Amino acid sequence: MVKQDGSRTLADRIYKLLRSEILDGKLAPGAHLQPAELARRFNASTTVVRDALMQLVGERLCDRRPSYGFFVPSLTLGELEDLTRVRIHSDSLALELAIERGDLAWESRIVSALHVLQATPRRSGSDPLHTTDTWSERHRDFHLALISACNVPLLIDLSATLFDSSELYRRWAAPSTRATTRDVAHEHEELAQAVLGRDAETAGARLAQHYTETMKVVLEAGLVVPQSSVS
């Protein structure tokens, strides 16, 4: 049992180190994550390293390709456009239903989530180029709070999955000029105001604009790879 606990602890440590390196862009999109090489680097067994990599796969921070191995995710222009389009359509529907069905408790969740998000520093003084893990978590909480009253579990699950799928690229794009000058707090406040005002049309338009701006930030940051370079 001691040995198993030790392996689990080591796998968690390797997972956290790799997760940080991926989110901070220290490992390039499409980079091959070879268990044997990582095992030598971390002085661990390949089994422990694979354990850590599988955790990252579960969080969509690592791709596992049969017969090829593990890779840092990469994104083509078409994939980015499709991801944005699906997010806009699915979340707009969920938002419309939430506005129609939401009660006072739902409104309170939105107000609380927005307040916590705005009170959480987006970047730290020690690393001003990247968004913090805590802010990213509060950001996710806010977006899920907006649609939580739609009462369609499949839509809520899809929204969470699509949010997670785009999180890596938001984090990678954080150092770009467009990301650092973007007034995200204002975008969130305007979106919340439209939702709380029960204005589904305006809320949907602001949500679409918010997601489209994120896509533009990722594009400007040069994170999208040519289709031909993706196997």
Side-chain angles (χ1 to χ4, degrees), residues 85-150:
R85 185 177 296 115
V86 173
R87 286 191 78 201
I88 289 172
H89 282 291
S90 63
D91 281 13
S92 292
L93 173 58
L95 196 59
E96 181 179 351
L97 291 173
I99 290 172
E100 176 186 319
R101 300 171 178 178
D103 56 11
L104 183 59
W106 167 67
E107 292 182 1
S108 297
R109 285 198 298 275
I110 294 174
V111 172
S112 176
L114 178 63
H115 175 72
V116 173
L117 175 61
Q118 291 182 330
T120 303
R122 189 176 174 211
R123 301 168 189 263
S124 68
S126 61
D127 185 11
L129 292 181
H130 298 96
T131 51
T132 66
D133 287 345
T134 302
W135 187 90
S136 295
E137 290 167 4
R138 301 294 82 81
H139 184 212
R140 188 179 194 270
D141 292 342
F142 169 70
H143 276 280
L144 292 181
L146 291 175
I147 65 167
S148 60
C150 74

Side-chain angles (χ1 to χ4, degrees), residues 124-196:
S124 68
S126 61
D127 185 11
L129 292 181
H130 298 96
T131 51
T132 66
D133 287 345
T134 302
W135 187 90
S136 295
E137 290 167 4
R138 301 294 82 81
H139 184 212
R140 188 179 194 270
D141 292 342
F142 169 70
H143 276 280
L144 292 181
L146 291 175
I147 65 167
S148 60
C150 74
N151 296 329
V152 183
L154 284 175
L155 273 179
I156 294 173
D157 289 346
L158 178 58
S159 178
T161 297
L162 293 172
F163 184 97
D164 293 342
S165 295
S166 59
E167 175 63 11
L168 181 59
Y169 302 96
R170 282 192 296 273
R171 297 283 291 265
W172 276 347
S176 69
T177 300
R178 191 167 191 142
T180 55
T181 58
R182 180 184 182 186
D183 194 347
V184 179
H186 182 64
E187 292 178 31
H188 288 148
E189 187 171 352
E190 284 198 327
L191 177 56
Q193 286 176 352
V195 173
L196 295 171

Side-chain angles (χ1 to χ4, degrees), residues 22 27-35 38 53 56-57 60-74 168-169 172 229-231:
I22 291 172
L27 294 172
H32 192 182
L33 301 174
Q34 302 182 56
L38 292 172
L53 290 171
L56 294 168
V57 170
R60 299 177 182 274
L61 295 178
C62 177
D63 288 339
R64 187 185 186 191
R65 304 177 193 169
S67 303
Y68 291 95
F70 298 93
F71 296 83
V72 177
S74 57
L168 181 59
Y169 302 96
W172 276 347
S229 68
V230 179
S231 58

Side-chain angles (χ1 to χ4, degrees), residues 6 16 136 198 228:
K16 290 176 181 177
S136 295
R198 306 283 176 155
S228 59

